[in-house]
Amino acid sequence: MRKLFCSLLFLLVAARGFAQPQPRLIDSVRQVLARSTNEKEKFNSAAYLSRIMMTTDPGAAEHYGQQIIRIAEVSRDRGLMVEAFMVNGERYAYLAGRKDNIFKSIGYYNQALELAKKNKMDTSVIRSYLALSTVYRYLPDYEKALNFCNQAGSYSATVKDDSITAKVNLEYGLVYLGRNEKVDALKKFLAALRIGEELKSISLQRESNTCLSAFYAAIGDYDKAIDKQVTSLKLLESIAWQPGTVYRRSMN
């Protein structure tokens, strides 16, 4: 019973984190996009629409996904171009149940990585490596995932940003958990949680508790798994979602 309840609670947290917005909200963002004369605002609105419509209207999501690439290319803003590839990679990762979607996701993330490396954008390089690790976990191919995670870790050592270190720790933990290296996984999750608490970062604390819940479920301690999911849900409720802003794998 505890195992079933834990699974249901995990799904509830996931659903709250990726809840589909109301049609009126979609229409509102579309209106902002249509009347905007600011390229960054157009990019933000189209990026938002490309993500939220991926599971309900893939054709429209593809339209908006290509639109943000065009906007970024015209702007010649390298950071915006990397972000366009990252957003497209992530929206395909949402539908990772099909391998063709995973490979499309990998393709976009590799484009983001190549551009970030070329322009010496270290934080974006780390984000790209972590994203690639994530999608290879979905396949699953934990050897490749660990390789990308190691590369992210190497870059993070030079950036010296605690929030980035926490993100790398979380991905390491998930890779180790998939490889059944549970002691190493727990160490990484706890390290990420400690950083999140020191930084007073709600998002990092929420992600850490969600990962710890998965860890405790994996070892059959469903009471602790439920406790961590409840904590994650409470933290999620305190996060203010701002529609129309560029979605990023936050490093904060």
Side-chain angles (χ1 to χ4, degrees), residues 8-34:
L8 292 173
L9 189 58
F10 182 85
L11 290 173
L12 174 60
V13 173
R16 292 291 292 273
F18 296 96
Q20 292 296 331
Q22 298 297 319
R24 282 187 297 179
L25 178 55
I26 294 176
D27 290 341
S28 176
V29 177
R30 278 175 165 163
Q31 290 171 16
V32 170
L33 175 60

PDB file of all heavy atoms in Angstrom, residues 8-34:
ATOM      1  N   LEU A   8       1.712   7.147  -6.517  1.00  0.00           N
ATOM      2  CA  LEU A   8       0.665   8.113  -6.832  1.00  0.00           C
ATOM      3  C   LEU A   8       1.083   9.525  -6.455  1.00  0.00           C
ATOM      4  O   LEU A   8       0.803  10.486  -7.184  1.00  0.00           O
ATOM      5  CB  LEU A   8      -0.637   7.733  -6.103  1.00  0.00           C
ATOM      6  CG  LEU A   8      -1.311   6.449  -6.590  1.00  0.00           C
ATOM      7  CD1 LEU A   8      -2.483   6.095  -5.670  1.00  0.00           C
ATOM      8  CD2 LEU A   8      -1.813   6.610  -8.020  1.00  0.00           C
ATOM      9  N   LEU A   9       1.765   9.651  -5.319  1.00  0.00           N
ATOM     10  CA  LEU A   9       2.207  10.969  -4.878  1.00  0.00           C
ATOM     11  C   LEU A   9       3.273  11.517  -5.807  1.00  0.00           C
ATOM     12  O   LEU A   9       3.282  12.711  -6.132  1.00  0.00           O
ATOM     13  CB  LEU A   9       2.749  10.880  -3.444  1.00  0.00           C
ATOM     14  CG  LEU A   9       3.057  12.214  -2.745  1.00  0.00           C
ATOM     15  CD1 LEU A   9       1.799  13.080  -2.686  1.00  0.00           C
ATOM     16  CD2 LEU A   9       3.570  11.946  -1.335  1.00  0.00           C
ATOM     17  N   PHE A  10       4.163  10.642  -6.271  1.00  0.00           N
ATOM     18  CA  PHE A  10       5.187  11.066  -7.229  1.00  0.00           C
ATOM     19  C   PHE A  10       4.535  11.596  -8.501  1.00  0.00           C
ATOM     20  O   PHE A  10       4.924  12.620  -9.043  1.00  0.00           O
ATOM     21  CB  PHE A  10       6.117   9.912  -7.557  1.00  0.00           C
ATOM     22  CG  PHE A  10       7.224  10.285  -8.497  1.00  0.00           C
ATOM     23  CD1 PHE A  10       8.389  10.850  -8.017  1.00  0.00           C
ATOM     24  CD2 PHE A  10       7.091  10.083  -9.866  1.00  0.00           C
ATOM     25  CE1 PHE A  10       9.418  11.212  -8.889  1.00  0.00           C
ATOM     26  CE2 PHE A  10       8.105  10.445 -10.726  1.00  0.00           C
ATOM     27  CZ  PHE A  10       9.269  11.004 -10.238  1.00  0.00           C
ATOM     28  N   LEU A  11       3.512  10.899  -8.975  1.00  0.00           N
ATOM     29  CA  LEU A  11       2.798  11.344 -10.174  1.00  0.00           C
ATOM     30  C   LEU A  11       2.098  12.671  -9.933  1.00  0.00           C
ATOM     31  O   LEU A  11       2.028  13.519 -10.828  1.00  0.00           O
ATOM     32  CB  LEU A  11       1.784  10.280 -10.605  1.00  0.00           C
ATOM     33  CG  LEU A  11       2.374   8.982 -11.164  1.00  0.00           C
ATOM     34  CD1 LEU A  11       1.263   7.961 -11.388  1.00  0.00           C
ATOM     35  CD2 LEU A  11       3.109   9.252 -12.470  1.00  0.00           C
ATOM     36  N   LEU A  12       1.594  12.877  -8.716  1.00  0.00           N
ATOM     37  CA  LEU A  12       0.927  14.133  -8.385  1.00  0.00           C
ATOM     38  C   LEU A  12       1.914  15.285  -8.453  1.00  0.00           C
ATOM     39  O   LEU A  12       1.614  16.344  -9.021  1.00  0.00           O
ATOM     40  CB  LEU A  12       0.315  14.055  -6.989  1.00  0.00           C
ATOM     41  CG  LEU A  12      -0.304  15.363  -6.447  1.00  0.00           C
ATOM     42  CD1 LEU A  12      -1.434  15.827  -7.359  1.00  0.00           C
ATOM     43  CD2 LEU A  12      -0.806  15.167  -5.023  1.00  0.00           C
ATOM     44  N   VAL A  13       3.094  15.095  -7.883  1.00  0.00           N
ATOM     45  CA  VAL A  13       4.120  16.143  -7.925  1.00  0.00           C
ATOM     46  C   VAL A  13       4.503  16.443  -9.365  1.00  0.00           C
ATOM     47  O   VAL A  13       4.628  17.601  -9.766  1.00  0.00           O
ATOM     48  CB  VAL A  13       5.362  15.734  -7.113  1.00  0.00           C
ATOM     49  CG1 VAL A  13       6.488  16.739  -7.306  1.00  0.00           C
ATOM     50  CG2 VAL A  13       5.016  15.617  -5.635  1.00  0.00           C
ATOM     51  N   ALA A  14       4.682  15.394 -10.164  1.00  0.00           N
ATOM     52  CA  ALA A  14       5.044  15.582 -11.570  1.00  0.00           C
ATOM     53  C   ALA A  14       3.936  16.319 -12.318  1.00  0.00           C
ATOM     54  O   ALA A  14       4.190  17.218 -13.119  1.00  0.00           O
ATOM     55  CB  ALA A  14       5.317  14.230 -12.229  1.00  0.00           C
ATOM     56  N   ALA A  15       2.696  15.943 -12.033  1.00  0.00           N
ATOM     57  CA  ALA A  15       1.562  16.582 -12.711  1.00  0.00           C
ATOM     58  C   ALA A  15       1.459  18.053 -12.338  1.00  0.00           C
ATOM     59  O   ALA A  15       1.168  18.906 -13.180  1.00  0.00           O
ATOM     60  CB  ALA A  15       0.261  15.861 -12.352  1.00  0.00           C
ATOM     61  N   ARG A  16       1.705  18.375 -11.050  1.00  0.00           N
ATOM     62  CA  ARG A  16       1.652  19.758 -10.624  1.00  0.00           C
ATOM     63  C   ARG A  16       2.755  20.569 -11.274  1.00  0.00           C
ATOM     64  O   ARG A  16       2.582  21.745 -11.584  1.00  0.00           O
ATOM     65  CB  ARG A  16       1.771  19.849  -9.096  1.00  0.00           C
ATOM     66  CG  ARG A  16       0.589  19.289  -8.341  1.00  0.00           C
ATOM     67  CD  ARG A  16      -0.653  20.157  -8.534  1.00  0.00           C
ATOM     68  NE  ARG A  16      -0.488  21.447  -7.904  1.00  0.00           N
ATOM     69  CZ  ARG A  16      -0.765  21.715  -6.624  1.00  0.00           C
ATOM     70  NH1 ARG A  16      -1.209  20.750  -5.843  1.00  0.00           N
ATOM     71  NH2 ARG A  16      -0.597  22.923  -6.127  1.00  0.00           N
ATOM     72  N   GLY A  17       3.903  19.927 -11.488  1.00  0.00           N
ATOM     73  CA  GLY A  17       5.030  20.632 -12.087  1.00  0.00           C
ATOM     74  C   GLY A  17       4.856  20.865 -13.581  1.00  0.00           C
ATOM     75  O   GLY A  17       5.411  21.809 -14.139  1.00  0.00           O
ATOM     76  N   PHE A  18       4.072  20.009 -14.268  1.00  0.00           N
ATOM     77  CA  PHE A  18       3.918  20.119 -15.710  1.00  0.00           C
ATOM     78  C   PHE A  18       2.439  20.214 -16.104  1.00  0.00           C
ATOM     79  O   PHE A  18       2.032  19.738 -17.138  1.00  0.00           O
ATOM     80  CB  PHE A  18       4.556  18.908 -16.409  1.00  0.00           C
ATOM     81  CG  PHE A  18       6.028  18.826 -16.200  1.00  0.00           C
ATOM     82  CD1 PHE A  18       6.567  18.028 -15.209  1.00  0.00           C
ATOM     83  CD2 PHE A  18       6.874  19.572 -16.981  1.00  0.00           C
ATOM     84  CE1 PHE A  18       7.934  17.965 -15.015  1.00  0.00           C
ATOM     85  CE2 PHE A  18       8.252  19.519 -16.806  1.00  0.00           C
ATOM     86  CZ  PHE A  18       8.768  18.710 -15.810  1.00  0.00           C
ATOM     87  N   ALA A  19       1.636  20.818 -15.239  1.00  0.00           N
ATOM     88  CA  ALA A  19       0.206  20.921 -15.503  1.00  0.00           C
ATOM     89  C   ALA A  19      -0.045  21.721 -16.778  1.00  0.00           C
ATOM     90  O   ALA A  19       0.620  22.721 -17.045  1.00  0.00           O
ATOM     91  CB  ALA A  19      -0.488  21.602 -14.327  1.00  0.00           C
ATOM     92  N   GLN A  20      -1.007  21.258 -17.579  1.00  0.00           N
ATOM     93  CA  GLN A  20      -1.352  21.966 -18.796  1.00  0.00           C
ATOM     94  C   GLN A  20      -2.139  23.229 -18.450  1.00  0.00           C
ATOM     95  O   GLN A  20      -3.070  23.201 -17.660  1.00  0.00           O
ATOM     96  CB  GLN A  20      -2.207  21.063 -19.700  1.00  0.00           C
ATOM     97  CG  GLN A  20      -1.459  19.883 -20.272  1.00  0.00           C
ATOM     98  CD  GLN A  20      -0.344  20.328 -21.204  1.00  0.00           C
ATOM     99  OE1 GLN A  20      -0.436  21.376 -21.832  1.00  0.00           O
ATOM    100  NE2 GLN A  20       0.702  19.539 -21.293  1.00  0.00           N
ATOM    101  N   PRO A  21      -1.773  24.367 -19.037  1.00  0.00           N
ATOM    102  CA  PRO A  21      -2.485  25.601 -18.764  1.00  0.00           C
ATOM    103  C   PRO A  21      -3.854  25.617 -19.426  1.00  0.00           C
ATOM    104  O   PRO A  21      -4.116  24.839 -20.344  1.00  0.00           O
ATOM    105  CB  PRO A  21      -1.568  26.663 -19.380  1.00  0.00           C
ATOM    106  CG  PRO A  21      -0.857  25.948 -20.471  1.00  0.00           C
ATOM    107  CD  PRO A  21      -0.673  24.538 -19.977  1.00  0.00           C
ATOM    108  N   GLN A  22      -4.701  26.502 -18.984  1.00  0.00           N
ATOM    109  CA  GLN A  22      -6.030  26.643 -19.554  1.00  0.00           C
ATOM    110  C   GLN A  22      -5.936  27.251 -20.953  1.00  0.00           C
ATOM    111  O   GLN A  22      -5.000  28.008 -21.258  1.00  0.00           O
ATOM    112  CB  GLN A  22      -6.893  27.526 -18.659  1.00  0.00           C
ATOM    113  CG  GLN A  22      -7.112  26.957 -17.270  1.00  0.00           C
ATOM    114  CD  GLN A  22      -7.880  25.644 -17.316  1.00  0.00           C
ATOM    115  OE1 GLN A  22      -8.829  25.512 -18.075  1.00  0.00           O
ATOM    116  NE2 GLN A  22      -7.440  24.690 -16.508  1.00  0.00           N
ATOM    117  N   PRO A  23      -6.921  26.912 -21.831  1.00  0.00           N
ATOM    118  CA  PRO A  23      -6.907  27.481 -23.189  1.00  0.00           C
ATOM    119  C   PRO A  23      -6.849  28.999 -23.203  1.00  0.00           C
ATOM    120  O   PRO A  23      -6.220  29.591 -24.087  1.00  0.00           O
ATOM    121  CB  PRO A  23      -8.228  26.966 -23.781  1.00  0.00           C
ATOM    122  CG  PRO A  23      -8.479  25.686 -23.055  1.00  0.00           C
ATOM    123  CD  PRO A  23      -7.985  25.915 -21.655  1.00  0.00           C
ATOM    124  N   ARG A  24      -7.474  29.641 -22.208  1.00  0.00           N
ATOM    125  CA  ARG A  24      -7.444  31.105 -22.172  1.00  0.00           C
ATOM    126  C   ARG A  24      -6.031  31.623 -21.988  1.00  0.00           C
ATOM    127  O   ARG A  24      -5.672  32.680 -22.511  1.00  0.00           O
ATOM    128  CB  ARG A  24      -8.343  31.631 -21.051  1.00  0.00           C
ATOM    129  CG  ARG A  24      -9.842  31.612 -21.404  1.00  0.00           C
ATOM    130  CD  ARG A  24     -10.665  32.295 -20.357  1.00  0.00           C
ATOM    131  NE  ARG A  24     -10.583  31.605 -19.062  1.00  0.00           N
ATOM    132  CZ  ARG A  24     -11.192  32.010 -17.956  1.00  0.00           C
ATOM    133  NH1 ARG A  24     -11.912  33.120 -17.971  1.00  0.00           N
ATOM    134  NH2 ARG A  24     -11.088  31.327 -16.839  1.00  0.00           N
ATOM    135  N   LEU A  25      -5.214  30.881 -21.213  1.00  0.00           N
ATOM    136  CA  LEU A  25      -3.828  31.289 -21.021  1.00  0.00           C
ATOM    137  C   LEU A  25      -3.050  31.152 -22.319  1.00  0.00           C
ATOM    138  O   LEU A  25      -2.261  32.029 -22.680  1.00  0.00           O
ATOM    139  CB  LEU A  25      -3.178  30.443 -19.925  1.00  0.00           C
ATOM    140  CG  LEU A  25      -1.699  30.719 -19.640  1.00  0.00           C
ATOM    141  CD1 LEU A  25      -1.466  32.180 -19.312  1.00  0.00           C
ATOM    142  CD2 LEU A  25      -1.205  29.833 -18.509  1.00  0.00           C
ATOM    143  N   ILE A  26      -3.290  30.054 -23.039  1.00  0.00           N
ATOM    144  CA  ILE A  26      -2.624  29.865 -24.329  1.00  0.00           C
ATOM    145  C   ILE A  26      -2.997  31.001 -25.279  1.00  0.00           C
ATOM    146  O   ILE A  26      -2.144  31.579 -25.953  1.00  0.00           O
ATOM    147  CB  ILE A  26      -3.003  28.504 -24.945  1.00  0.00           C
ATOM    148  CG1 ILE A  26      -2.438  27.369 -24.086  1.00  0.00           C
ATOM    149  CG2 ILE A  26      -2.478  28.394 -26.380  1.00  0.00           C
ATOM    150  CD1 ILE A  26      -2.840  25.991 -24.555  1.00  0.00           C
ATOM    151  N   ASP A  27      -4.292  31.331 -25.334  1.00  0.00           N
ATOM    152  CA  ASP A  27      -4.743  32.424 -26.197  1.00  0.00           C
ATOM    153  C   ASP A  27      -4.112  33.747 -25.789  1.00  0.00           C
ATOM    154  O   ASP A  27      -3.740  34.566 -26.647  1.00  0.00           O
ATOM    155  CB  ASP A  27      -6.269  32.547 -26.143  1.00  0.00           C
ATOM    156  CG  ASP A  27      -6.966  31.387 -26.832  1.00  0.00           C
ATOM    157  OD1 ASP A  27      -6.308  30.701 -27.643  1.00  0.00           O
ATOM    158  OD2 ASP A  27      -8.155  31.147 -26.542  1.00  0.00           O
ATOM    159  N   SER A  28      -3.970  33.948 -24.495  1.00  0.00           N
ATOM    160  CA  SER A  28      -3.374  35.189 -23.996  1.00  0.00           C
ATOM    161  C   SER A  28      -1.921  35.314 -24.443  1.00  0.00           C
ATOM    162  O   SER A  28      -1.485  36.387 -24.890  1.00  0.00           O
ATOM    163  CB  SER A  28      -3.476  35.237 -22.469  1.00  0.00           C
ATOM    164  OG  SER A  28      -2.824  36.373 -21.957  1.00  0.00           O
ATOM    165  N   VAL A  29      -1.179  34.221 -24.334  1.00  0.00           N
ATOM    166  CA  VAL A  29       0.229  34.249 -24.747  1.00  0.00           C
ATOM    167  C   VAL A  29       0.329  34.433 -26.258  1.00  0.00           C
ATOM    168  O   VAL A  29       1.203  35.145 -26.755  1.00  0.00           O
ATOM    169  CB  VAL A  29       0.962  32.964 -24.298  1.00  0.00           C
ATOM    170  CG1 VAL A  29       2.407  32.972 -24.787  1.00  0.00           C
ATOM    171  CG2 VAL A  29       0.927  32.831 -22.784  1.00  0.00           C
ATOM    172  N   ARG A  30      -0.581  33.810 -26.994  1.00  0.00           N
ATOM    173  CA  ARG A  30      -0.595  33.994 -28.444  1.00  0.00           C
ATOM    174  C   ARG A  30      -0.832  35.454 -28.812  1.00  0.00           C
ATOM    175  O   ARG A  30      -0.229  35.982 -29.761  1.00  0.00           O
ATOM    176  CB  ARG A  30      -1.687  33.115 -29.063  1.00  0.00           C
ATOM    177  CG  ARG A  30      -1.267  31.667 -29.272  1.00  0.00           C
ATOM    178  CD  ARG A  30      -2.420  30.834 -29.762  1.00  0.00           C
ATOM    179  NE  ARG A  30      -1.979  29.554 -30.290  1.00  0.00           N
ATOM    180  CZ  ARG A  30      -2.790  28.520 -30.479  1.00  0.00           C
ATOM    181  NH1 ARG A  30      -4.087  28.616 -30.173  1.00  0.00           N
ATOM    182  NH2 ARG A  30      -2.326  27.384 -30.962  1.00  0.00           N
ATOM    183  N   GLN A  31      -1.712  36.116 -28.079  1.00  0.00           N
ATOM    184  CA  GLN A  31      -1.991  37.527 -28.334  1.00  0.00           C
ATOM    185  C   GLN A  31      -0.768  38.389 -28.059  1.00  0.00           C
ATOM    186  O   GLN A  31      -0.468  39.330 -28.808  1.00  0.00           O
ATOM    187  CB  GLN A  31      -3.173  37.977 -27.486  1.00  0.00           C
ATOM    188  CG  GLN A  31      -4.503  37.395 -27.926  1.00  0.00           C
ATOM    189  CD  GLN A  31      -5.622  37.667 -26.943  1.00  0.00           C
ATOM    190  OE1 GLN A  31      -5.504  38.535 -26.073  1.00  0.00           O
ATOM    191  NE2 GLN A  31      -6.716  36.915 -27.057  1.00  0.00           N
ATOM    192  N   VAL A  32      -0.067  38.057 -26.977  1.00  0.00           N
ATOM    193  CA  VAL A  32       1.165  38.785 -26.657  1.00  0.00           C
ATOM    194  C   VAL A  32       2.168  38.618 -27.795  1.00  0.00           C
ATOM    195  O   VAL A  32       2.808  39.578 -28.235  1.00  0.00           O
ATOM    196  CB  VAL A  32       1.779  38.280 -25.332  1.00  0.00           C
ATOM    197  CG1 VAL A  32       3.170  38.867 -25.123  1.00  0.00           C
ATOM    198  CG2 VAL A  32       0.879  38.635 -24.155  1.00  0.00           C
ATOM    199  N   LEU A  33       2.290  37.393 -28.292  1.00  0.00           N
ATOM    200  CA  LEU A  33       3.214  37.101 -29.385  1.00  0.00           C
ATOM    201  C   LEU A  33       2.824  37.874 -30.637  1.00  0.00           C
ATOM    202  O   LEU A  33       3.686  38.440 -31.327  1.00  0.00           O
ATOM    203  CB  LEU A  33       3.216  35.598 -29.669  1.00  0.00           C
ATOM    204  CG  LEU A  33       4.044  35.113 -30.857  1.00  0.00           C
ATOM    205  CD1 LEU A  33       5.516  35.468 -30.669  1.00  0.00           C
ATOM    206  CD2 LEU A  33       3.881  33.604 -31.038  1.00  0.00           C
ATOM    207  N   ALA A  34       1.543  37.911 -30.947  1.00  0.00           N
ATOM    208  CA  ALA A  34       1.064  38.539 -32.185  1.00  0.00           C
ATOM    209  C   ALA A  34       1.282  40.053 -32.189  1.00  0.00           C
ATOM    210  O   ALA A  34       1.611  40.630 -33.235  1.00  0.00           O
ATOM    211  CB  ALA A  34      -0.415  38.226 -32.380  1.00  0.00           C
TER     212      ALA A  34
END
